[in-house]
Amino acid sequence: MNTPRLHSRSLGTLFLLAFLAYGIGTALVTSILKEPEHLAALAGQRTPFVGGALLLLLNSLIIVGIGVLFFPILRERSPGVAVAYVCTRVMEAMTLIIGVVFLLCILQLGESAQGQTTPELVTLFRLFTKGNFWAYQLAMIILGVGSVAFCLSLYRSRLLPSLLPLVGAVGYGLLALGAMLELFGLPWGILFSGPGGLFELFLSGWLIAKGFRTVTPSVAA
């Protein structure tokens, strides 16, 4: 297998863009939405809020692109894993989009507050915030569980240094575990998400700088 350098660099760039889009988008939204009392002032900060939401939507599109670009690479060795990984990324993206819808509902609440934060609006704010939280955690569970086989397939294919996909498999497993713990009220998600996030950053850098290894049929057999 010889994956063109442009293909591997495109994948590495997409991983990096997804990291930046989600990170900046989340920072913009959370800087505005901290407490229900901020609802009354939300209408005046519509532009950065909508900008953050659009970056989160862009992240979902990039996620699907990652799955699509990896499909021909994985199909050469593990057709089932290739299909499963695309489905994983699509499901993750759709779940994150649902989370963005909850955020936009909060924006609508802020615009309808008309300078006053009523108890009813606070209740809806907390409900939509919890919906966004659940959507994110479910997306991370989908990503974590669905990506373990993806990393093991990369390990068997020898397209990357052996340690990198093994770290990815462990990292994604911990990511799913941390998200499940969050749903049960244990705030350990950030701690457990570290290895998986670092794997994607290292993978991005490796694909941009080095690309995939060339593996001949005799070596891979």
Side-chain angles (χ1 to χ4, degrees):
M1 174 184 289
N2 183 16
T3 304
R5 290 290 290 118
L6 179 60
H7 196 136
S8 61
R9 284 175 177 168
S10 297
L11 270 170
T13 301
L14 286 183
F15 272 105
L16 184 59
L17 288 177
F19 181 83
L20 292 174
Y22 193 86
I24 296 174
T26 300
L28 285 172
V29 171
T30 55
S31 67
I32 300 170
L33 283 183
K34 297 180 180 179
E35 298 294 338
E37 291 73 16
H38 295 177
L39 269 176
L42 185 57
Q45 303 183 68
R46 179 186 179 89
T47 299
F49 189 91
V50 172
L54 289 176
L55 284 174
L56 296 178
L57 290 176
L58 176 61
N59 169 72
S60 295
L61 294 177
I62 294 172
I63 285 171
V64 174
I66 290 173
V68 171
L69 285 184
F70 254 117
F71 180 79
I73 298 171
L74 296 173
R75 182 181 55 186
E76 296 290 331
R77 306 297 300 177
S78 306
V81 173
V83 173
Y85 187 64
V86 172
C87 293
T88 293
R89 285 301 194 171
V90 171
M91 292 173 62
E92 176 198 359
M94 292 178 63
T95 309
L96 289 174
I97 288 173
I98 292 173
V100 175
V101 171
F102 281 117
L103 291 177
L104 294 176
C105 289
I106 295 175
L107 175 62
Q108 186 60 40
L109 283 182
E111 293 182 340
S112 63
Q114 298 180 347
Q116 295 182 351
T117 303
T118 64
E120 293 78 10
L121 290 177
V122 171
T123 300
L124 288 174
F125 173 89
R126 297 191 186 280
L127 178 63
F128 291 142
T129 301
K130 184 61 69 173
N132 173 259
F133 169 81
W134 274 76
Y136 174 78
Q137 301 304 334
L138 289 175
M140 293 304 98
I141 292 174
I142 292 170
L143 172 63
V145 172
S147 296
V148 172
F150 155 75
C151 288
L152 294 179
S153 178
L154 288 178
Y155 172 77
R156 290 192 296 268
S157 69
R158 304 180 186 179
L159 293 173
L160 296 169
S162 299
L163 183 61
L164 188 57
L166 289 179
V167 170
V170 174
Y172 281 127
L174 290 174
L175 175 67
L177 176 60
M180 286 187 282
L181 291 175
E182 287 279 355
L183 294 181
F184 283 101
L186 300 174
W188 297 344
I190 295 180
L191 177 64
F192 280 73
S193 66
L198 288 176
F199 163 73
E200 291 196 349
L201 284 178
F202 277 114
L203 178 61
S204 172
W206 184 272
L207 292 179
I208 293 173
K210 300 286 187 178
F212 292 105
R213 290 174 172 175
T214 298
V215 180
T216 61
S218 59
V219 174

